[in-house]
Amino acid sequence: QVQLVESGGGLVQAGGSLRLSCAASERTFSNYNMGWFRQAPGKEREFVAGINSGGTYTSSADSVKGRFTISRDNAENTVYLQMNSLKPEDTAVYYCVASRYYKTTFRTQDINYWGKGTLVTVSS
């Protein structure tokens, strides 16, 4: 069982930046492909970004390309999401996820483990 704990969410003005972190409990963290999803009020959960187990491949949704960057530190069992140029439409609960398989675009059914989420609110 992999436990994922997100941190770094909060309130930020449009145009600002936040960095989300996700700490994993599993010693075999480096075997998992990691990612971030988000869910805005009244909307379905959507893929944001993904990174393979070795950190050599990344992908992101078109809506965040050029603004969000995913990275990982396998020595620290942590994955990050650097979010720049934030927009009000980025407001959502952000979930850290782990999957045994890497895909360019994760679907919810691809995910083996979910964190509980951290709220990001972007004010206009």
Side-chain angles (χ1 to χ4, degrees):
Q1 183 79 8
V2 178
Q3 293 184 331
L4 304 172
V5 179
E6 303 96 336
S7 61
L11 174 64
V12 63
Q13 287 189 331
S17 299
L18 281 176
R19 188 175 82 155
L20 304 183
S21 300
C22 171
S25 63
E26 181 63 37
R27 287 178 297 171
T28 58
F29 171 79
S30 60
N31 292 343
Y32 287 89
N33 305 284
M34 303 298 294
W36 293 89
F37 277 69
R38 68 184 181 185
Q39 188 166 20
K43 294 190 176 181
E44 292 188 353
R45 202 167 289 192
E46 64 175 359
F47 168 77
V48 175
I51 187 167
N52 72 327
S53 57
T56 53
Y57 295 99
T58 63
S59 59
S60 58
D62 288 343
S63 58
V64 305
K65 267 188 173 65
R67 301 189 297 123
F68 291 11
T69 303
I70 188 171
S71 62
R72 66 188 295 161
D73 184 340
N74 285 346
E76 296 293 330
N77 287 5
T78 302
V79 62
Y80 303 98
L81 185 68
Q82 179 65 45
M83 305 185 295
N84 298 328
S85 302
L86 282 160
K87 304 175 182 179
E89 51 263 44
D90 295 318
T91 294
V93 176
Y94 283 72
Y95 298 92
C96 177
V97 300
S99 175
R100 295 188 180 93
Y101 305 101
Y102 178 71
K103 292 189 176 180
T104 303
T105 303
F106 284 125
R107 303 165 300 168
T108 54
Q109 56 264 45
D110 297 324
I111 304 306
N112 299 107
Y113 300 102
W114 293 84
K116 293 185 177 180
T118 185
L119 177 63
V120 172
T121 304
V122 184
S123 63
S124 57

